[in-house]
Amino acid sequence: MKSIIINMLEERGVTIEDMAGLVLDLQKDYLPLTTEIAIENIHKVLGKREVQNAVLTGIQLDKLAENNLIEEPLLSIVKRDDSLYGIDEIMALSITNIYGSIGFTNFGYLDKLKPGIIGKINAHEHGQVNTFLDDLVSGIVAAACSRIAHSMENSQDDE
C-alpha cells in the first residue's frame, strides 16, 4: 500500500524529496539533520496504515471533485477549498496526531504559510483540485518532524 500512496502523491506532483526538504527547513534551527534522515522519517510516516488511508481517501476526493463526480453542494465546497469546510484539516490532523501533539504546531505553521510544495499544490494549477492534498502533505511533514523530535529526545535520554 505504501508504494501505491507514494505513486499517488507523485502523480499529483508531490515527491518524497519535496516533503523531506520541508522537514529539513522546519528542523534546521533545532536539530542537525541530513536529507537521508528526513527521507527516512517521511517513509516511516508513510508506512503507517492510518496515513495511507487518509492519503488514499483525500486524493480520491480531490480527483472526484476535479471530475465533477461529487454532488452539490459538496462539489462546490471542495472545489473552492472553502475555509469553513475544515474536513481536509481534520483528516490531516489525524496524521499529525500519530506522533503526539507536537505535530499540531508544525501543521499550523505549514497550513498558514504554505511553504515549498505545499504552496505550489495549494495554487490548484491546471484545474487540479488539491483541497485535501495540501493539508495531507502538511500533515505528513509535521508528523515526520514530530517523529524526529521524539527520536532525538529519546536518544538524548539514553546518554
Side-chain angles (χ1 to χ4, degrees):
M1 178 69 92
K2 181 179 157 190
S3 61
I4 292 170
I5 297 305
I6 291 171
N7 288 335
M8 289 177 75
L9 289 165
E10 288 175 354
E11 287 172 4
R12 305 296 286 180
V14 179
T15 67
I16 299 295
E17 291 76 16
D18 292 330
M19 292 185 283
L22 290 172
V23 169
L24 289 172
D25 189 49
L26 261 65
Q27 295 301 304
K28 70 178 181 277
D29 294 336
Y30 308 104
L31 299 168
L33 297 180
T34 63
T35 301
E36 292 75 24
I37 291 172
I39 288 172
E40 175 187 339
N41 281 278
I42 293 289
H43 276 286
K44 293 288 187 184
V45 170
L46 292 175
K48 296 283 195 180
R49 180 63 75 169
E50 304 95 319
V51 175
Q52 295 166 0
N53 289 337
V55 172
L56 183 67
T57 302
I59 288 177
Q60 287 301 312
L61 288 168
D62 282 344
K63 286 180 169 182
L64 289 170
E66 275 175 21
N67 293 301
N68 298 313
L69 295 173
I70 299 174
E71 292 183 20
E72 291 291 357
L74 183 58
L75 176 62
S76 294
I77 291 168
V78 172
K79 283 182 124 178
R80 277 193 319 264
D81 197 0
D82 193 319
S83 62
L84 295 178
Y85 179 56
I87 302 303
D88 46 339
E89 283 88 4
I90 297 295
M91 195 178 298
L93 288 172
S94 72
I95 294 172
T96 65
N97 197 38
I98 293 170
Y99 294 103
S101 61
I102 191 172
F104 290 120
T105 303
N106 286 331
F107 176 79
Y109 173 84
L110 293 167
D111 190 44
K112 178 77 172 165
L113 296 182
K114 301 196 184 311
I117 189 63
I118 297 166
K120 183 177 178 184
I121 57 180
N122 187 61
H124 303 278
E125 292 178 352
H126 312 294
Q128 188 167 312
V129 174
N130 293 321
T131 298
F132 287 88
L133 183 62
D134 67 318
D135 294 306
L136 292 168
V137 170
S138 295
I140 293 165
V141 170
C145 290
S146 297
R147 186 178 192 287
I148 290 167
H150 284 292
S151 67
M152 296 295 185
E153 181 178 307
N154 290 339
S155 68
Q156 290 173 352
D157 289 345
D158 294 340
E159 294 176 356

